[in-house]
Amino acid sequence: MDILLAGVGILLLLPLILGLVIVLKMKDSGPLLYGHRRIGFGGREFRCWKFRTMVVNGDEVLEQHLRENPDQAEMWNEQRKLVNDPRVTPIGAIMRKLSLDELPQLLNVLSGEMSLVGPRPVVQEELDHYASSTRHYLSARPGLSGLWQISGRSNTTYLERVQMDRFYVMNWNPWMDLRIVFMTIPAVAMSRGAH
């Protein structure tokens, strides 16, 4: 079902995807896609594809920003997110707000690395925050959408996000997935909790 729906989604969204490719190439000469290493089903590492929304030297910019702003470093250590991330480009900020940067993850769904619905894909260091919930996270494919995305996204704490991922895995059923898919549309359209 994931592969079928992802294929249909790519076909339906092709004009939008091509438009984004053109705009991104006009605004920035850097790479179009960014493949961030994430941990998936069974602990397997994969590249989670996104349209690049950050400056090319993002790691250096982040490191310097966190050194100069200890309060931001604390936020980064707790949530792995920043409200005003200095790495994000102006066009990238718009794409993130509308979740357009995540469209290439449909390729991850086609390859079986991700599902349309599931826990939010995490990096290896984030699994430390999952503690006893790690086994739940590793027993499901990460999702393009999930409970976190329809429940306030960045307006929730990291602990709440982990609890949502655990709840999803422990209570999974096809109707929950359908509900999440349908609730994703208004959540993205209204940019709830996006930054």
Side-chain angles (χ1 to χ4, degrees):
M1 187 62 85
D2 274 338
I3 291 169
L4 174 67
L5 291 176
V8 169
I10 288 172
L11 289 176
L12 292 175
L13 294 168
L14 196 56
L16 173 62
I17 292 168
L18 291 175
L20 288 170
V21 167
I22 292 167
V23 169
L24 287 169
K25 276 303 181 190
M26 288 172 52
K27 294 282 186 186
D28 191 337
S29 61
L32 186 64
L33 296 178
Y34 178 70
H36 200 255
R37 294 198 178 280
R38 302 293 172 109
I39 303 302
F41 179 72
R44 286 188 288 276
E45 193 176 77
F46 70 98
R47 283 195 179 273
C48 183
W49 295 107
K50 290 186 173 196
F51 281 123
R52 186 175 59 82
T53 58
M54 296 184 179
V55 294
V56 177
N57 63 335
D59 290 338
E60 297 160 27
V61 170
L62 178 64
E63 193 177 307
Q64 181 179 345
H65 180 73
L66 297 180
R67 243 190 345 260
E68 295 171 358
N69 300 279
D71 58 320
Q72 294 281 291
E74 189 177 325
M75 178 187 286
W76 176 257
N77 288 333
E78 285 176 15
Q79 306 210 9
R80 305 297 293 181
K81 280 195 170 282
L82 297 173
V83 175
N84 295 309
D85 195 320
R87 301 170 295 170
V88 178
T89 64
I91 189 75
I94 295 167
M95 290 178 66
R96 284 173 160 227
K97 195 147 188 74
L98 298 172
S99 297
L100 296 173
D101 61 316
E102 298 184 1
L103 288 176
Q105 288 173 25
L106 287 167
L107 298 173
N108 291 114
V109 175
L110 280 179
S111 68
E113 297 162 322
M114 290 178 66
S115 180
L116 289 174
V117 179
R120 185 171 179 268
V122 299
V123 297
Q124 183 66 53
E125 307 89 74
E126 287 181 90
L127 284 180
D128 295 340
H129 295 283
Y130 276 68
S132 63
S133 297
T134 299
R135 67 186 178 91
H136 296 92
Y137 173 82
L138 296 176
S139 68
R141 281 183 174 77
L144 186 59
S145 186
L147 279 178
W148 178 75
Q149 287 88 335
I150 65 168
S151 304
R153 292 158 81 176
S154 297
N155 292 334
T156 59
T157 66
Y158 203 96
L159 178 59
E160 288 170 328
R161 181 176 125 188
V162 171
Q163 289 169 341
M164 284 184 242
D165 284 347
R166 182 177 178 137
F167 178 87
Y168 171 80
V169 172
M170 292 178 71
N171 297 283
W172 178 86
N173 65 68
W175 306 116
M176 184 189 300
D177 276 4
L178 273 176
R179 181 177 160 268
I180 290 170
V181 167
F182 284 115
M183 291 183 72
T184 298
I185 297 163
V188 168
M190 294 187 290
S191 302
R192 285 198 302 253
H195 50 70

